Amino acid sequence: YWKPNPSYNTLHKWLVDQYKKQGVCFACKLVIKTDWARVSKTYTRNIEDYRELCRKCHYYFDREGLYIDIDA
């Protein structure tokens, strides 16, 4: 069952359970430890709404309130 507004922890557990990370940052292309980052403004169960980012890029996009150009 998928709630309309899943918690942060629920969503991230689902991502980890469903998708294997490749360890390559989508933004800077470094091969490094990555996190799942939401690229849309809403939480969804669509993997296309997430990208792998290294911690530095993830922090930058979150801090600046930016959204990643998923067509890049």
Side-chain angles (χ1 to χ4, degrees):
Y1 175 71
W2 184 255
K3 294 181 182 178
N5 296 308
S7 71
Y8 175 88
N9 289 336
T10 299
L11 176 67
H12 281 78
K13 181 179 181 340
W14 176 80
L15 285 168
V16 168
D17 289 347
Q18 297 296 316
Y19 299 98
K20 180 174 172 48
K21 293 189 285 183
Q22 302 302 307
V24 178
C25 179
F26 181 82
C28 70
K29 308 301 185 211
L30 286 178
V31 176
I32 194 167
K33 182 177 173 78
T34 58
D35 299 321
W36 286 115
R38 177 174 49 108
V39 296
S40 65
K41 294 182 180 182
T42 58
Y43 288 108
T44 70
R45 219 175 185 179
N46 181 353
I47 191 61
E48 294 301 316
D49 288 336
Y50 301 90
R51 293 292 182 266
E52 278 186 72
L53 293 179
C54 68
R55 300 247 167 115
K56 182 178 179 180
C57 290
H58 196 170
Y59 175 77
Y60 172 77
F61 282 101
D62 283 353
R63 183 191 61 179
E64 298 297 324
L66 301 173
Y67 291 92
I68 302 164
D69 180 3
I70 60 174
D71 295 323

